[in-house]
């Protein structure tokens, strides 16, 4: 079974790392996740950024006082993130969904920004169970979804937020919020975004 760490996806992000850094780092964490910021706990708290890419979000969360582990399967992106944010105090780790081998919870927040849409239908429930297991009781899972016709240069799916919420419910996560983010912040006319916030039940 092909994983998010499969050759096709990794090759695209490895070859595009420098270009993607210029794009991703041009937009602030606060701008991208504005509709979810009020769901962050008080610092210090433990945060896992899955598919951390160039490290923008991980570094911003660390700057807010959180203890941050950033997991990224593409070596070129991990090295780039560590260089761009060398003073952020983030722990950079190799790993990929659905398994996230070697990642140890629990975390107060798990963030997946523009990651979930790469998962196959078969991997999504497995990944959701793994993520739920990494959360503390009362912990929050934040997922952003790219919507619209998927590009042809890498594996991607147009996944509705209701599906994400359904997988979450199956593993004991309660839906807090679905946000229609509207227009793409990079100006791509065919792309829009949803955000989904889920919370692990207490006790």
């Amino acid at each position: 079974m092909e994983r998010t760490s499969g050759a096709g996806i990794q090759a695209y992000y490895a070859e595009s790392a420098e270009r993607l850094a210029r794009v991703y780092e041009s937009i602030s964490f606060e701008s991208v996740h504005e509709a979810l910021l009020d769901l962050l706990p008080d610092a210090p708290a433990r945060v896992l950024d899955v598919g951390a890419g160039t490290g923008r979000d991980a570094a911003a969360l660390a700057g807010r006082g959180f203890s941050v582990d950033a997991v990224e399967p593409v070596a070129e992106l991990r090295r780039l993130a560590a260089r761009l944010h060398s003073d952020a105090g983030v722990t950079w780790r190799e790993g990929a969904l659905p398994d996230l081998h070697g990642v140890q919870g629990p975390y107060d927040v798990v963030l997946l920004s523009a990651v979930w849409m790469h998962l196959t239908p078969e991997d999504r429930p497995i990944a959701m169970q793994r993520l739920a297991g990494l959360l503390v009781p009362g912990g929050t899972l934040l997922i952003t979804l790219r919507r619209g016709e998927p590009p042809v240069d890498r594996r991607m799916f147009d996944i509705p937020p209701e599906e994400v919420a359904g997988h979450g419910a199956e593993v004991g996560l309660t839906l807090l919020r679905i946000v229609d983010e509207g227009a793409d912040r990079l100006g791509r006319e065919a792309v829009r975004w949803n955000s989904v916030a889920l919370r692990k039940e207490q006790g």
Side-chain angles (χ1 to χ4, degrees):
M1 181 183 297
E2 187 179 11
R3 303 300 199 192
T4 56
S5 57
I9 294 176
Q10 280 216 30
Y12 169 83
Y13 287 104
E15 294 165 2
S16 308
E18 293 289 345
R19 177 182 62 82
L20 292 174
R22 291 191 293 272
V23 173
Y24 294 163
E25 299 288 327
S26 71
I27 306 174
S28 71
F29 165 82
E30 288 77 13
S31 173
V32 172
H33 300 293
E34 179 181 6
L36 304 175
L37 293 178
D38 65 301
L39 297 176
L40 293 176
D42 292 335
R46 198 169 180 221
V47 178
L48 176 66
D49 184 1
V50 179
T54 62
R56 177 199 64 204
D57 294 349
L61 286 162
R64 287 170 168 255
F66 296 107
S67 174
V68 182
D69 289 342
V71 176
E72 170 56 50
V74 179
E76 288 81 357
L77 287 175
R78 282 198 313 277
R79 288 194 292 267
L80 187 60
R83 188 181 82 230
L84 291 173
H85 305 289
S86 59
D87 60 349
V90 174
T91 299
W92 309 100
R93 302 179 182 275
E94 179 181 6
L97 285 170
D99 306 303
L100 290 179
H101 290 303
V103 177
Q104 300 290 327
Y107 293 94
D108 299 283
V109 177
V110 176
L111 171 67
L112 286 79
S113 184
V115 171
W116 192 260
M117 68 269 192
H118 292 306
L119 290 171
T120 66
E122 297 79 14
D123 278 350
R124 289 171 209 158
I126 301 169
M128 187 64 76
Q129 185 172 36
R130 175 71 168 120
L131 295 169
L134 289 170
L135 285 169
V136 300
T140 305
L141 175 62
L142 305 175
I143 296 177
T144 68
L145 299 166
R146 172 175 162 154
R147 305 300 310 280
E149 186 69 24
V152 298
D153 55 358
R154 58 201 183 279
R155 187 184 70 200
M156 191 180 292
F157 303 91
D158 185 8
I159 303 173
E162 292 79 11
E163 179 190 302
V164 178
H167 286 314
E170 291 169 1
V171 295
L173 302 182
T174 300
L175 177 65
L176 295 178
R177 185 178 301 170
I178 292 176
V179 180
D180 184 355
E181 303 283 2
D184 178 60
R185 288 175 175 80
L186 295 175
R188 294 168 293 189
E189 293 184 1
V191 177
R192 61 187 178 89
W193 293 85
N194 287 144
S195 293
V196 184
L198 306 168
R199 179 160 293 161
K200 188 172 183 175
E201 295 292 348
Q202 296 271 8

